[in-house]
Amino acid sequence: FDERDGVLWMDGAMVPWRDAKIHVLTHGLHYAGAVFEGERVYGGNIFESEAHTRRLRRSAEILGYEIPYSVAEIEDAKRAVVAALGIADGYVRPVAWRGSEMMGVGAPDARIHLAIAAWDWPSYFSPEARARGIKLTISPWRRPAPNMAPVESKASGLYMICTMSRHAAEKQGFHDALMLDYRGFLAEGTGANLFLAIDGRLHTPTADCFLDGITRRTVMRLARERQIEVVERHVLPDELACASEVFLTGSAAEVTPVGQIDDLTFTPGAMCQALYDDYMALVRGTPRPALS
Ligand code: PMP
């Protein structure tokens, strides 16, 4: 990924993609204090750009540091990167971290860095997987409790269990993993939130120990606009057997139907399709399909 033409934004300036390097003694690499965002570009515009920027700054504050750029400055930088690369449909990845000026767990004077990269990226899961619904397996790793990790921060350290879960799932032939929370309730995917259709209602786990996704909130609003009742609650894994549809939401995953979770199978259905259509219309700024 580092061998590409083009530019990215780093600490206030555009730099050639290949030259965007950091020292091996970077604090963020050793102690996992980086925070990042994942955002999508549709027709040259970043969807919910400011909400992502605010979350990025908040993620850093939760970890005890301030990103030295304002929301407006970060917004300008993101727009500049997307424009410089001429990206119409793609992805934006801001990342902030403590630098290499100090080594050790405590590094209060390490410089805070920010980089913003963007690239063309049509689909998180392959179109075939999307059409049939992706296959998930429940991970042995659980989302930690709010007093065991900074669960509201999109902090890189929290992603080690996501990567381990996803790699283990892929080795077994699944597309991705689904994680339970520390209590054993359904939580989320490794990069997306979870929804279940049960008896015509939309159920989604309460986001009290994992990321309350921007897509999650958008899809809940779109569902309510369709007069679909949305229920946020703690959901047990056994309840998956009662679900007529299951899907994931995320900036990268958008609205992706789930076709299998371990031994249970699901058919991508009308509710997921309607919310996918509504979501795509919203992000592309095209007219919403007629409500049915
Ligand atoms: N959970 C995790 C672990 C994620 O990485 C993401 C993607 N950022 C989400 C949920 C969904 O968040 P959003 O809709 O804001 O992209």
Side-chain angles (χ1 to χ4, degrees), residues 130-272:
R130 283 196 65 95
R132 263 186 256 135
I134 57 163
K135 296 181 189 175
L136 303 178
T137 182
I138 293 187
S139 172
W141 294 99
R142 292 186 174 191
R143 302 301 305 172
N147 63 354
M148 295 182 178
V151 293
E152 282 173 23
S153 173
K154 196 167 161 63
S156 62
L158 288 167
Y159 280 83
M160 70 184 176
I161 61 172
C162 299
T163 300
M164 287 191 295
S165 300
R166 181 154 175 150
H167 285 179
E170 286 174 345
K171 257 195 192 146
Q172 299 170 67
F174 296 93
H175 295 106
D176 205 343
L178 187 62
M179 287 180 291
L180 306 183
D181 73 13
Y182 63 101
R183 296 159 294 201
F185 292 118
L186 294 172
E188 58 172 359
T190 63
N193 290 118
L194 177 73
F195 284 86
L196 297 80
I198 303 176
D199 295 334
R201 295 195 191 101
L202 196 56
H203 299 250
T204 191
T206 309
D208 59 4
C209 61
F210 55 84
L211 212 61
D212 181 3
I214 291 166
T215 321
R216 175 182 184 273
R217 301 229 65 88
T218 303
V219 165
M220 287 165 67
R221 176 164 63 77
L222 292 171
R224 290 187 177 117
E225 285 173 17
R226 277 191 176 262
Q227 316 301 325
I228 297 169
E229 194 182 326
V230 181
V231 190
E232 277 184 280
R233 64 179 177 90
H234 294 125
V235 187
L236 285 165
D238 283 354
E239 297 184 63
L240 286 169
C242 312
S244 54
E245 297 180 43
V246 178
F247 57 91
L248 298 177
T249 66
S251 300
E254 299 171 317
V255 178
T256 297
V258 174
Q260 185 184 338
I261 303 175
D262 290 317
D263 297 335
L264 293 171
T265 55
F266 307 93
T267 309
M271 194 185 289
C272 177

Side-chain angles (χ1 to χ4, degrees), residues 97-151:
W97 68 96
R98 289 189 174 96
S100 53
E101 293 76 11
M102 300 179 82
M103 201 9 82
V105 173
D109 297 327
R111 182 178 164 200
I112 305 303
H113 298 267
L114 176 66
I116 302 168
W119 55 88
D120 286 313
W121 195 23
S123 179
Y124 191 59
F125 296 108
S126 72
E128 304 80 60
R130 283 196 65 95
R132 263 186 256 135
I134 57 163
K135 296 181 189 175
L136 303 178
T137 182
I138 293 187
S139 172
W141 294 99
R142 292 186 174 191
R143 302 301 305 172
N147 63 354
M148 295 182 178
V151 293

